[in-house]
Amino acid sequence: MKRILSCIICILLTIQVPFVVFADDDAEKSKIKAKSVILMATDTKDVLYKENELEHLSPASVTKIMSILLCLEALDSGKIKLTDKVTASKNAVAMGGSQIWLEEGEIMTVDELLKAVVIASANDACTALGEHIAGSDVAFVKMMNDKVKELGLKNTNFENCTGLDDTTKAHYSCAYDLAVISSEVMKYDLIKDYSTIWLDSLRGGKTELNNTNKLVKSYKGITGLKTGTTSNAGFCVSATASRDGLNLVAVVLGSDTSEHRFQTAEYLLDKGFAEYSCKKIKIDKNKLIPVKVNNGKQKSIIPSFSDTQNIVLPKDNSKLKYDFKIKKEVKAPVKKGDSIGKVKVICNGKTVKVIPLYADRDVDKVNFMYIFLNIIKYI
């Protein structure tokens, strides 16, 4: 019996148990006062923290980030201009909730309407913008859902462009999807001209606009973006911020009070800035071994990669290494952009990024005429 026990003890001593640091889950969760949250790096879409991030919930007026994205895209493509004059329709004027009290037939510019949407979350202004872009409210909502599919999001469906949910049946999104949409919005520098404004006005100062995002006034590095509140959704916010080259978005859905949504967003953003940094990828080009091209007019090609990529890493990244996986050979023909390998970026033993390596040119397959001409040239 003693011999058996001794053997068991020896076996247990030889097993390598990984060192794990357990966070104080209760302390962490006490800071998260919402049904669903996510913290994402907007440039890379890396998820830094999440909790129930795929749960279908009403996003309230955070819905408008998709409306804003389509407006920014239309401006960027030249489809519409900030100086365009928009006439308020009967349908736009009928919108309830937050509004700037448009009157039927009243004319405002795209610039004024966009300002009202971003700063004051005006439902009438948002509807008027959508109608101007797509021709009708229904067509604009279709554009919104088409964009959802284009972005590859699977947990979002919009029934309107405003987020009003008192009569909707299947108007929902999730923290992850909203973070991705917010990341797309923040690609446009123009949005900051509106989302960072605390106070403004319309109609020659007669209509005051007060930003619904209270973090604009108090949080260092805040860049936006959108709040939302209904009895069904609770208190929601998509908060974006930037410090030292790191751009983050914290989406908070289903808080029980306005204060709790902002506290939760602040906590997530603070956590991101305290624990992570953004760096440009540095690959040793000397390790990019030529790849042999069989039966190709060119004997080999050097793997290429996008040198504009950034990477979000834990601030403790002393154990950072690059693992190169490059094909030894490929068969001609080779097309520019064909995959010929990858580089794994490993931080503290965990793969944090995979960088594709590709052919930077076409390589045609040799044929009889090519061989014949080369023989003649040699002779």
Side-chain angles (χ1 to χ4, degrees):
M1 187 67 177
K2 289 182 179 179
R3 186 176 297 174
I4 294 173
L5 288 172
S6 297
C7 290
I8 293 173
I9 291 171
C10 288
I11 292 170
L12 289 173
L13 288 173
T14 58
I15 296 175
Q16 294 184 355
V17 180
F19 177 71
V20 180
V21 178
F22 291 96
D24 188 344
D25 292 337
D26 291 336
E28 184 95 298
K29 288 184 178 180
S30 68
K31 303 288 186 179
I32 306 298
K33 298 176 181 178
K35 292 180 180 178
S36 171
V37 299
I38 196 168
L39 178 67
M40 179 181 286
T42 60
D43 294 334
T44 63
K45 294 185 174 63
D46 289 324
V47 176
L48 309 181
Y49 184 90
K50 60 185 180 180
E51 189 173 317
N52 302 325
E53 78 284 1
L54 299 179
E55 184 178 353
H56 290 191
L57 295 168
S58 172
S61 281
V62 180
T63 294
K64 293 188 179 80
I65 59 171
M66 179 58 91
S67 304
I68 293 167
L69 175 59
L70 294 180
C71 183
L72 293 170
E73 287 184 342
L75 286 166
D76 188 60
S77 67
K79 182 178 181 180
I80 64 172
K81 297 178 181 178
L82 287 173
T83 54
D84 284 356
K85 293 181 178 180
V86 181
T87 302
S89 68
K90 182 178 180 180
N91 179 54
V93 171
M95 292 296 114
S98 301
Q99 53 188 301
I100 54 170
W101 307 103
L102 283 173
E103 294 183 3
E104 187 175 353
E106 183 177 4
I107 297 174
M108 281 195 175
T109 63
V110 167
D111 173 60
E112 291 171 321
L113 292 173
L114 183 57
K115 185 185 295 183
V117 172
V118 179
I119 299 174
S121 194
N123 296 317
D124 49 359
C126 188
T127 303
L129 265 181
E131 290 173 344
H132 180 64
I133 293 168
S136 72
D137 190 25
V138 172
F140 188 65
V141 174
K142 183 180 184 302
M143 283 181 64
M144 294 170 69
N145 286 315
D146 287 344
K147 189 65 181 180
V148 167
K149 294 176 183 176
E150 181 186 323
L151 293 173
L153 306 177
K154 303 182 183 301
N155 295 286
T156 296
N157 183 71
F158 296 121
E159 290 188 9
N160 58 53
C161 67
T162 62
L164 291 169
D165 58 9
D166 50 344
T167 60
T168 56
K169 295 181 180 179
H171 184 95
Y172 59 84
S173 190
C174 67
Y176 176 84
D177 288 10
L178 293 170
V180 171
I181 299 168
S182 298
S183 298
E184 292 296 312
V185 169
M186 296 313 296
K187 290 179 179 179
Y188 297 89
D189 290 335
L190 177 63
I191 186 60
K192 297 172 190 175
D193 292 345
Y194 302 91
S195 60
T196 56
I197 294 174
W198 174 241
L199 287 173
D200 210 318
S201 62
L202 297 171
R203 300 184 177 106
K206 294 179 181 179
T207 303
E208 186 178 275
L209 301 177
N210 193 335
N211 204 317
T212 57
N213 182 6
K214 305 308 177 187
L215 296 177
V216 169
K217 193 176 181 180
S218 62
Y219 194 80
K220 179 185 175 183
I222 198 74
T223 55
L225 180 60
K226 192 71 199 70
T227 62
T229 307
T230 65
S231 57
N232 291 328
F235 295 85
C236 311
V237 67
S238 173
T240 57
S242 178
R243 291 183 193 172
D244 300 322
L246 178 60
N247 301 307
L248 300 177
V249 56
V251 176
V252 179
L253 301 179
S255 288
D256 57 351
T257 68
S258 180
E259 185 179 11
H260 283 166
R261 71 173 157 189
F262 293 127
Q263 287 176 347
T264 302
E266 278 192 71
Y267 170 73
L268 291 171
L269 292 172
D270 284 346
K271 180 181 177 68
F273 290 127
E275 298 178 6
Y276 294 90
S277 62
C278 186
K279 295 186 176 182
K280 189 172 182 178
I281 291 173
K282 295 180 180 179
I283 292 178
D284 184 355
K285 293 184 179 180
N286 292 324
K287 293 185 178 180
L288 297 177
I289 303 169
V291 176
K292 181 181 177 182
V293 181
N294 289 329
N295 298 322
K297 291 183 178 181
Q298 185 175 318
K299 298 303 180 184
S300 65
I301 49 177
I302 303 294
S304 295
F305 63 94
S306 173
D307 59 0
T308 60
Q309 294 187 66
N310 290 330
I311 187 169
V312 175
L313 296 171
K315 285 192 173 179
D316 176 18
N317 56 50
S318 55
K319 296 180 180 178
L320 182 65
K321 68 176 184 176
Y322 295 86
D323 184 19
F324 291 77
K325 302 289 184 182
I326 302 173
K327 294 180 179 179
K328 292 182 178 180
E329 58 184 43
V330 292
K331 291 182 179 180
V334 177
K335 295 295 182 183
K336 182 178 180 179
D338 282 355
S339 174
I340 55 176
K342 60 186 177 182
V343 181
K344 288 185 178 180
V345 184
I346 302 171
C347 182
N348 300 329
K350 180 181 178 182
T351 300
V352 294
K353 186 87 173 180
V354 177
I355 304 162
L357 300 175
Y358 56 87
D360 67 345
R361 68 192 67 188
D362 294 338
V363 179
D364 294 329
K365 187 177 181 179
V366 296
N367 52 33
F368 174 78
M369 183 59 66
Y370 175 83
I371 296 172
F372 176 75
L373 291 175
N374 272 274
I375 292 174
I376 295 299
K377 183 179 178 181
Y378 177 76
I379 294 173

